[in-house]
Amino acid sequence: MTDEPGGSGRTMRDTFSVWNVDATEREVVLRSSDDQYVAVPLPDGDADLFERLAESSGTVDATLVGSDEGGTSWRVDAIHGTDESA
């Protein structure tokens, strides 16, 4: 996991396990390589992808950015790759 230094522009890039997807709440829980659990809003259009990754114990290489919207501290900024065969 990498964190960008600096105050307001917080970013985190890692290969995350998809621990849980809650389509009703529109939220996905990711587990980082150092076992931190991060709940983020489910990215628009990617619900099926995250559900497949959760079912297959797959991973997603993603960058998260700090956000204060809706009480969530992180959101997905970019998806760099996925592995559904984990």
Side-chain angles (χ1 to χ4, degrees):
M1 178 179 75
T2 60
D3 285 315
E4 293 291 324
S8 61
R10 295 182 309 149
T11 65
M12 175 175 28
R13 181 170 178 177
D14 200 355
T15 299
F16 298 93
S17 299
V18 180
W19 189 72
N20 187 42
V21 176
D22 186 335
T24 304
E25 295 293 326
R26 305 274 313 140
E27 180 178 84
V28 61
V29 179
L30 304 174
R31 189 180 85 199
S32 68
S33 61
D34 62 351
D35 290 329
Q36 293 184 49
Y37 289 83
V38 182
V40 298
L42 189 60
D44 291 335
D46 289 325
D48 290 341
L49 169 65
F50 281 97
E51 287 174 6
R52 284 195 319 271
L53 291 171
E55 290 172 6
S56 69
S57 299
T59 59
V60 59
D61 179 9
T63 298
L64 307 182
V65 295
S67 170
D68 293 328
E69 297 175 14
T72 303
S73 60
W74 297 97
R75 66 174 175 80
V76 175
D77 183 56
I79 296 174
H80 308 288
T82 61
D83 182 358
E84 296 185 42
S85 63

